[in-house]
Amino acid sequence: MFKLETIISLAKRRGFVFQSSEIYGGLNGCWDYGPLGVELLQNIKNAWWREMTFRDNIEGVDAAILMHPRTWDASGHTSQFSDPMIDNKTSKARHRADNLIEDFIDKMKKKKKNDIAEKIEVELEAAREPADFYNIIVNNQIPDPVSGTTDWTEVRNFNLMFKTFIGPIEDSSSAVYLRPETAQGIFVNFKNVMETGRQKVPFGIAQIGKAFRNEINTKNFLFRTREFEQMEMQYFIKPGSEQDWFEYWKEQRWNWYLSLGMKAEKMRWKVHNKLAHYANYAVDIEFEFPFGFGEIEGIHSRTDFDLKAHQEFSGKKLEYVDTVNGERFVPYVIETSGGVSRSLMAFLCNAYDEETVSDENGKSETRVVMRFSPKLAPIKVAVFPLVNKDGMPEKAQEIYQDLSKSFKSQYDTSGAVGRRYRRQDEIGTPFCVTIDGETLENGTVTIRERDSMEQIRISADKIKQYLFEKI
Ligand code: GAP
């Protein structure tokens, strides 16, 4: 297993991800996507959008980030969307109390003190209130990782929503929140979409968009950030059918990751025993990052909690009427909720590989290769003239310009062809086309495939067809 720093360094060096506002020293918990990162992000979003909305009964929306503040009272975010926070008086370091405890459990396990780890695990499972977390920390003398002391403040709940104000006056009547999840923009549009889309239950609404959470500790690169993107789908169903639909969506979502090259052995299910206030079944798909397994997507059975709450807070009926038998009900919901940025990081980690190969002179060297699925690869094809003379650059340019109309392509003339291959390997380009002397004689080119490094010769006018088939 390679280190997370290796991925962060490649991401920066090759223009996938930069620290936000880097020239000012960066802004904690925020990241910017560079030229290759934005292509990868877009490819993930396109793959998800196709997968979810290219169905008869799933419609898309793009709701506003700022929503009526009552939305968050109805959803429970104003009162319950908080994390337990604790400060160390000596180091002034601030921690999420549950994370501090989890890290301590891991440390105990590493030291083979399994009895202590198991005892604290049981206590953590039962913890609900700030005082419960405080007691675990104090009773088990969990030290601050920064100062090493147990000089703790009380645990307080910290609401994760970012507050801002509409208009020039900053008072409570103008306060609004940056949405902490995209789901609520779907619930409040349930009736609009059902009616305008002439949909009948079961049907779904899908949305991709930014969400914001004032996380206490951001860590592990893109894993926990303050600004991120989600891809969420709410599937509205008849009450009583939730178990079947829950199983259906679990399978669909698992297979989607596999279809994009995610390695099955790096994924696992996590079943939630401690359920969120709205859920009656919940599982996560987890991916094995360099720092351990972490959630990339949640699949939740949310009952009728959200629609009923919005019905109550807005005073508007959010029911479904079955036109066949006249039955009325508030639909239940199965939600699939994935993070775009978090899955981008998972796809980066999943793709990273190093292998020892021989260079042109037979000397062994390390090849860094991003084994992205061709569907996700930011650049699909690179075009090289073998040498920068004898009419090869002109022919290569002609081919490159033509391929660029259909595929995100790169043109590279600098250095030996071997070096050019390595540069493309490192950004995961699945195919490289080389124009050489033979191209000028008989119109054929070589296509080199990234993973096998095998080369084939085909006629230049067949390149597009070849790439369409492979991608
Ligand atoms: N609507 C349900 C919901 O938002 P969640 O488990 O809080 O559920 C869903 O979030 C997904 O959003 C997560 O699986 C993760 O991929 C992504 N996500 C959540 N918080 C995040 C953060 N702070 N940074 C990056 N991604 C995050």
Side-chain angles (χ1 to χ4, degrees):
M1 179 68 89
F2 49 87
K3 291 201 168 86
L4 184 59
E5 284 66 36
T6 310
I7 297 291
I8 301 176
S9 148
L10 183 141
K12 159 123 211 252
R13 189 161 28 89
R14 301 313 311 269
F16 283 91
V17 184
F18 308 123
Q19 207 183 359
S20 160
S21 323
E22 193 186 273
I23 60 168
Y24 290 103
L27 183 66
N28 203 282
C30 300
W31 297 88
D32 295 345
Y33 293 86
L36 295 183
V38 79
E39 292 297 331
L40 180 56
L41 209 56
Q42 203 57 48
N43 293 342
I44 294 170
K45 290 192 275 186
N46 286 345
W48 186 86
W49 196 252
R50 287 179 74 96
E51 166 76 10
M52 303 306 268
T53 70
F54 282 26
R55 301 170 187 241
D56 288 344
N57 69 343
I58 299 192
E59 310 275 3
V61 289
D62 187 0
I65 286 172
L66 300 178
M67 299 181 69
H68 194 288
R70 293 286 281 164
T71 308
W72 309 112
D73 296 334
S75 66
H77 282 81
T78 325
S79 58
Q80 301 199 38
F81 193 57
S82 51
D83 281 336
M85 176 178 81
I86 191 164
D87 294 299
N88 184 267
K89 291 182 196 159
T90 309
S91 69
K92 309 276 180 265
R94 175 161 289 175
H95 304 276
R96 245 179 81 169
D98 51 343
N99 288 353
L100 183 75
I101 299 167
E102 278 161 5
D103 290 348
F104 186 73
I105 292 172
D106 287 344
K107 212 186 266 170
M108 289 298 106
K109 282 185 182 162
K110 277 196 192 120
K111 286 187 176 167
K112 304 261 180 291
K113 295 187 175 169
N114 288 334
D115 46 339
I116 300 179
E118 278 161 25
K119 173 184 141 315
I120 304 177
E121 252 169 357
V122 173
E123 291 172 2
L124 183 60
E125 188 67 33
R128 295 286 180 277
E129 300 301 321
D132 302 334
F133 295 102
Y134 180 77
N135 288 337
I136 299 175
I137 293 168
V138 171
N139 295 344
N140 294 291
Q141 299 200 324
I142 297 181
D144 173 29
V146 184
S147 67
T149 70
T150 50
D151 193 12
W152 294 112
T153 62
E154 295 290 302
V155 174
R156 286 158 295 152
N157 268 341
F158 171 73
N159 193 292
L160 300 184
M161 285 198 291
F162 277 102
K163 202 185 221 173
T164 185
F165 301 91
I166 293 247
I169 298 165
E170 297 194 3
D171 66 13
S172 60
S173 66
S174 62
V176 289
Y177 299 98
L178 302 190
R179 66 180 177 202
E181 62 172 17
T182 54
Q184 300 305 323
I186 292 180
F187 288 122
V188 300
N189 279 299
F190 159 72
K191 259 246 150 111
N192 285 338
V193 175
M194 180 170 69
E195 286 171 7
T196 54
R198 295 166 56 225
Q199 288 290 353
K200 289 187 174 21
V201 162
F203 77 96
I205 307 180
Q207 172 166 226
I208 298 177
K210 290 253 173 157
F212 303 82
R213 296 183 189 178
N214 199 359
E215 300 282 359
I216 297 167
N217 293 127
T218 56
K219 57 177 183 181
N220 293 331
F221 192 34
L222 308 173
F223 188 78
R224 179 159 290 117
T225 56
R226 298 201 165 104
E227 175 176 341
F228 56 97
E229 244 178 326
Q230 289 186 312
M231 35 195 187
E232 295 199 293
M233 193 276 306
Q234 319 295 137
Y235 201 66
F236 299 92
I237 56 170
K238 201 172 165 183
S241 63
E242 65 268 29
Q243 211 163 354
D244 288 345
W245 284 118
F246 182 64
E247 291 304 323
Y248 172 82
W249 281 109
K250 270 173 62 183
E251 191 187 342
Q252 294 285 304
R253 297 305 306 140
W254 180 271
N255 289 341
W256 182 75
Y257 289 99
L258 294 183
S259 75
L260 295 175
M262 199 78 101
K263 295 176 194 121
E265 66 273 19
K266 293 211 146 259
M267 288 161 61
R268 73 175 187 196
W269 290 108
K270 179 178 174 186
V271 178
H272 283 253
N273 299 321
K274 201 160 137 185
L275 292 170
H277 58 277
Y278 50 74
N280 67 349
Y281 303 105
V283 289
D284 294 337
I285 297 176
E286 292 191 332
F287 176 80
E288 191 177 17
F289 292 99
F291 50 84
F293 275 95
E295 170 190 346
I296 49 174
E297 172 155 347
I299 296 125
H300 309 134
S301 170
R302 294 180 72 123
T303 67
D304 53 6
F305 173 86
D306 303 86
L307 288 182
K308 275 221 170 119
H310 286 303
Q311 196 168 252
E312 186 191 327
F313 279 71
S314 68
K316 303 281 180 330
K317 281 231 165 308
L318 295 175
E319 286 179 342
Y320 175 74
V321 184
D322 190 323
T323 47
V324 178
N325 59 17
E327 198 186 344
R328 273 174 189 275
F329 56 87
V330 175
Y332 268 35
V333 168
I334 303 295
E335 165 183 81
T336 69
S337 176
V340 183
S341 15
R342 208 180 267 184
S343 55
L344 179 139
M345 179 174 159
F347 282 119
L348 282 175
C349 296
N350 184 66
Y352 187 87
D353 196 12
E354 285 177 13
E355 63 180 11
T356 306
V357 291
S358 304
D359 70 8
E360 296 116 69
N361 308 316
K363 256 178 57 192
S364 69
E365 63 169 355
T366 303
R367 177 171 95 116
V368 172
V369 51
M370 294 299 279
R371 299 190 193 277
F372 291 124
S373 150
K375 287 184 209 144
L376 293 187
I379 306 293
K380 308 294 185 205
V381 58
V383 180
F384 314 145
L386 182 63
V387 289
N388 290 314
K389 55 183 186 184
D390 302 336
M392 289 181 215
E394 291 76 7
K395 185 69 192 163
Q397 261 297 330
E398 189 189 306
I399 291 173
Y400 164 69
Q401 294 297 341
D402 185 44
L403 290 178
S404 292
K405 291 182 197 140
S406 307
F407 307 98
K408 187 78 189 164
S409 315
Q410 268 191 5
Y411 182 71
D412 190 1
T413 58
S414 68
V417 168
R419 293 258 63 82
R420 290 182 247 173
Y421 283 150
R422 292 288 175 274
R423 278 202 288 274
Q424 295 300 328
D425 289 342
E426 215 189 19
I427 62 170
T429 306
F431 302 103
C432 294
V433 172
T434 303
I435 283 72
D436 53 19
E438 245 184 283
T439 314
L440 306 175
E441 282 164 22
N442 62 15
T444 61
V445 297
T446 62
I447 301 191
R448 180 255 199 190
E449 201 269 328
R450 177 197 66 204
D451 293 340
S452 63
M453 296 190 285
E454 269 166 20
Q455 302 189 16
I456 56 161
R457 258 203 114 80
I458 64 169
S459 169
D461 57 12
K462 295 266 171 11
I463 307 173
K464 259 194 188 172
Q465 189 190 333
Y466 176 88
L467 294 178
F468 274 124
E469 276 165 21
K470 295 281 180 182
I471 295 167

